[in-house]
Amino acid sequence: SGDGAGILTGMPDGFLRRVVQEEFNKTLPPVGSYGAGNIFFPRDAAAVAECKAAFERHMARLNIELIGWRKVPVDNSELGPTSLESEPHTEMLLVKPGEAAAFSPADFNRELYRLRIAAAKEIHQTPAFEDFYVSSLNTGTLVYKGQLTPEQVWGYFKDLQQPDYTSHLALVHSRFSTNTFPSWSRAQPFRSLCHNGEINTLRGNKNMMRSREALLESRYFGSILKDEITPICSDDMSDSGNFDAVAELLNKGGDRPLHEAVMMMVPEAWQQNPHLSDDKRAFYSYYANMMEPWDGPAMMSFTDGRYVGACLDRNGLRPSRYYVTRDDRVLLSSEVGVLVHLQDDLCVRKERLEPGKMFLIDFEEGRIIPDGELKAKMSTARPYREWM
């Protein structure tokens, strides 16, 4: 039994089109116009039915149409006794906007975020349904994870073995439990990121998030934010899980890209840095009034499907290296020597992520955006100097 491992990929559109046609005799809408996610259920069939019914009630309320529930094929023959004892029933949910809905792609993702949280809050009111957990639910990425070892992930999830399951990105994580017990839901990646390290300021971060919930505002969600989406943090989640929840709120609740949310939460050392531009200093100073640093040894990797990136804490207390290959692959890891069979002559560039710096790939532009260019753009996107 492992502490937890998993993989987050881009939405495997070709694979999903085939299985939806074969299993439901339906045709998926265009990419970006449907959502998918894997969900853990209690193993009792009656409980599964009740959880689904609750979820579908919220879907109807939010004008989200069901495409189908698909049982995720798994092979648990290699699981250890601890993982096997707590193994959930896993199904994939596929949805699309209802006929009367007029969601933009970004707003559809916001509604899926709202759906996931509101439905889970209702379902978790029944103690017997505490194992219910939505690994992810959006239009751009898909998460397969569990209380597994890294070597078990591929064999356990049969979907990943299919030749037409393709993706332009992958976040892979292996968990080593320190401050929380292993569980299927605490495995990583989470919905938008994975984390190597620990948040040493976690209690303070959670308390401050709780204290400001009454003051939170969102132009999109309005009063729904307080009524349906809070509380943001939870004692049931690990430090990484709470970080993911706050980053997702900052991303989905407004118009901040995910990498800006991560910059707010893991700022570089800016206060006594004489080499920082006035724009960047104003950017960090402004957000320091809104969000305390989530401090500690941390290498965060994150994605929303369009961007994939990573950042290192301001003290650089975790390793992070990346290679660029001749065939335009980028390989980043928080440990050295992970890819022992990668030949040196295939690499055109080898770099390390420096303390407080961010690494970002924009798949629409097809390039790596340097830290300096990225933060110069983000720090001048709004009049932070004027505001400060």
Side-chain angles (χ1 to χ4, degrees):
S1 298
D3 280 0
I7 183 170
L8 181 157
T9 71
M11 193 64 73
D13 183 66
F15 165 73
L16 291 178
R17 268 178 206 286
R18 175 178 63 80
V19 297
V20 166
Q21 185 65 50
E22 291 175 354
E23 298 181 20
F24 305 121
N25 195 27
K26 294 180 180 179
T27 301
L28 279 178
V31 178
S33 299
Y34 67 88
N38 291 324
I39 299 179
F40 296 155
F41 291 93
R43 285 185 289 188
D44 178 69
V48 172
E50 286 190 54
C51 291
K52 285 183 179 180
F55 215 93
E56 290 177 19
R57 285 196 299 273
H58 285 275
M59 288 167 54
R61 178 175 65 89
L62 299 177
N63 202 10
I64 294 173
E65 183 179 331
L66 176 69
I67 297 174
W69 291 98
R70 171 182 175 264
K71 185 176 180 181
V72 176
V74 299
D75 177 1
N76 62 9
S77 61
E78 297 296 321
L79 296 191
T82 305
S83 298
L84 201 58
E85 183 181 359
S86 58
E87 180 189 19
H89 171 78
T90 306
E91 294 199 24
M92 179 185 292
L93 172 64
L94 296 115
V95 294
K96 63 181 180 180
E99 290 186 6
F103 302 135
S104 69
D107 287 349
F108 184 39
N109 270 315
R110 291 187 176 101
E111 289 300 310
L112 293 177
Y113 169 69
R114 177 185 174 189
L115 166 65
R116 189 195 83 218
I117 293 176
K121 283 176 69 174
E122 177 186 334
I123 291 168
H124 286 152
Q125 289 177 2
T126 303
F129 299 163
E130 64 180 358
D131 291 336
F132 178 87
Y133 177 81
V134 183
S135 295
S136 66
L137 183 61
N138 61 69
T139 64
T141 60
L142 194 57
V143 174
Y144 288 82
K145 68 174 187 176
Q147 193 175 333
L148 310 167
T149 66
E151 295 80 11
Q152 290 172 337
V153 174
W154 179 267
Y156 181 77
F157 292 109
K158 294 183 180 180
D159 286 352
L160 300 176
Q161 303 167 28
Q162 303 307 306
D164 56 351
Y165 192 114
T166 60
S167 173
H168 62 297
L169 64 88
L171 298 186
V172 179
H173 188 273
S174 172
R175 185 167 189 253
F176 182 75
S177 295
T178 51
N179 54 4
T180 51
F181 286 108
S183 73
W184 285 75
S185 62
R186 291 188 185 120
Q188 300 188 43
F190 290 108
R191 284 113 187 181
S192 57
L193 59 83
C194 53
H195 168 216
N196 176 25
E198 55 190 42
I199 305 298
N200 293 332
T201 56
L202 180 63
R203 183 175 295 277
N205 294 129
K206 287 163 59 178
N207 288 343
M208 291 305 297
M209 280 302 302
R210 184 65 175 164
S211 69
R212 65 167 61 96
E213 282 178 359
L215 304 176
L216 291 177
E217 294 183 2
S218 167
R219 268 182 285 184
Y220 182 82
F221 289 118
S223 62
I224 293 169
L225 188 66
K226 299 185 186 71
D227 297 338
E228 296 186 14
I229 295 175
T230 58
I232 308 303
C233 295
S234 168
D235 290 337
D236 293 330
M237 296 190 293
S238 65
D239 54 352
S240 310
N242 280 288
F243 186 102
D244 179 83
V246 175
E248 192 177 27
L249 170 73
L250 294 172
N251 175 231
K252 298 290 198 306
D255 58 359
R256 292 184 186 87
L258 185 58
H259 47 272
E260 182 177 359
V262 175
M263 287 180 202
M264 288 176 60
M265 299 176 71
V266 189
E268 60 183 294
W270 61 274
Q271 289 170 303
Q272 306 297 327
N273 185 350
H275 306 294
L276 212 64
S277 70
D278 290 340
D279 289 327
K280 285 175 68 177
R281 191 180 306 281
F283 172 87
Y284 285 121
S285 179
Y286 176 80
Y287 281 125
N289 290 284
M290 301 174 64
M291 176 70 65
E292 305 74 27
W294 290 61
D295 247 348
M299 202 292 285
M300 298 284 182
S301 55
F302 54 87
T303 185
D304 62 0
R306 172 184 171 176
Y307 299 101
V308 63
C311 76
L312 203 58
D313 69 89
R314 55 188 170 183
N315 293 312
L317 296 176
R318 284 293 181 270
S320 183
R321 295 180 180 273
Y322 66 91
Y323 295 172
V324 181
T325 66
R326 296 187 184 279
D327 56 356
D328 286 333
R329 288 181 296 161
V330 181
L331 310 167
L332 180 143
S333 176
S334 192
E335 301 294 343
V336 179
V338 172
L339 300 171
V340 296
H341 301 297
L342 184 65
Q343 299 175 0
D344 270 356
D345 59 359
L346 293 178
C347 299
V348 295
R349 182 178 169 192
K350 293 184 178 182
E351 300 282 354
R352 71 179 181 93
L353 202 53
E354 298 177 4
K357 302 302 182 183
M358 182 170 284
F359 164 95
L360 191 74
I361 296 173
D362 184 338
F363 286 104
E364 288 190 6
E365 294 187 12
R367 69 186 182 100
I368 299 173
I369 302 177
D371 177 87
E373 177 187 340
L374 173 64
K375 290 179 178 174
K377 179 180 179 180
M378 299 310 301
S379 62
T380 56
R382 298 180 181 90
Y384 295 108
R385 292 174 65 182
E386 180 183 329
W387 290 346
M388 293 308 295

